[in-house]
Amino acid sequence: MKSLSDSIFDGLSDGCNVYLKGIGTFSVTLESRFVKDKSEIRSPSIQVKGISFRPDKELKQRLKAVDIKRVRQARKRTAYPDAERYERILWYINRYELINITTVMRLNQCNYTKAKKDIQYLLDKKEIKESRFGNLKVYVSGT
């Protein structure tokens, strides 16, 4: 994932659009201060506003075929004991290599505060370590 992110960054920073077959096209959007005449625009006054994404037609077509169903939110949450929640987080990381807070909340059926506390416990025990994927904070095995 890191090398894919680096490749996308390299292409975008060179001023190119980046196309990934079956996924879509990434491009940089720019902004500048207000000017009355185009001749007033200088490169230092232009900055990156964001990144635009246009999905590939194939991806859009595949998504249109997805059967959408309402998920009932009325199911009861299981209150896992602390040790079991930690085990479930470590199992997930061993299987999928990384985890984020949202996934911890879903996996252990808990709220943000409890998920954050569980992550902090595992960080303190050095069983996991913090990493970044772009702006997303993720957690990977500490070993």
Side-chain angles (χ1 to χ4, degrees), residues 9-10 21-22 39 44 46 48 52 65 67 75 82 93 96 100 102 106 110 123 132 138 142:
F9 171 80
D10 290 343
K21 185 174 171 60
S39 64
I46 299 172
V48 173
S52 168
D67 185 27
R75 65 182 170 158
D82 293 353
I93 291 172
Y96 298 105
N100 63 20
T102 305
R106 283 193 204 122
C110 63
L123 285 168
R132 290 230 175 237
V138 295

Side-chain angles (χ1 to χ4, degrees), residues 12-143:
L12 294 176
S13 64
D14 287 341
C16 300
N17 291 341
V18 178
Y19 174 72
L20 300 175
K21 185 174 171 60
I23 296 175
T25 304
F26 296 88
S27 57
V28 172
T29 57
L30 304 173
E31 67 181 353
S32 71
R33 62 179 172 72
F34 177 77
V35 294
K36 291 184 179 181
D37 189 279
K38 285 194 265 183
S39 64
E40 295 178 41
I41 296 178
R42 302 280 182 261
S43 60
S45 66
I46 299 172
Q47 59 190 17
V48 173
K49 180 179 181 182
I51 297 173
S52 168
F53 174 72
R54 285 186 316 273
D56 194 61
K57 287 181 181 178
E58 177 185 322
L59 179 62
K60 284 173 49 174
Q61 291 294 36
R62 288 175 59 202
L63 282 173
K64 286 181 180 178
V66 170
D67 185 27
I68 298 174
K69 296 178 184 173
R70 180 181 294 257
V71 177
R72 295 183 185 249
Q73 298 296 326
R75 65 182 170 158
K76 293 181 181 178
R77 290 186 174 192
T78 303
Y80 295 108
D82 293 353
E84 189 172 346
R85 288 195 317 275
Y86 307 146
E87 268 184 49
R88 292 168 65 85
I89 293 168
L90 294 172
W91 169 86
Y92 191 94
I93 291 172
N94 287 330
R95 180 161 182 167
Y96 298 105
E97 297 183 20
L98 57 86
I99 197 166
N100 63 20
I101 290 291
T102 305
T103 306
V104 172
M105 291 167 54
R106 283 193 204 122
L107 180 69
N108 288 333
Q109 300 178 17
C110 63
N111 62 24
Y112 178 85
T113 305
K114 189 171 277 191
K116 191 73 174 154
K117 192 192 289 185
D118 291 347
I119 288 294
Q120 190 58 53
Y121 174 82
L122 293 171
L123 285 168
D124 293 344
K125 291 283 196 179
K126 301 202 183 310
E127 294 196 42
I128 63 172
K129 59 185 176 184
E130 186 179 300
S131 188
R132 290 230 175 237
F133 181 69
N135 289 335
L136 180 65
K137 193 184 294 187
V138 295
Y139 303 92
V140 296
S141 177
T143 57

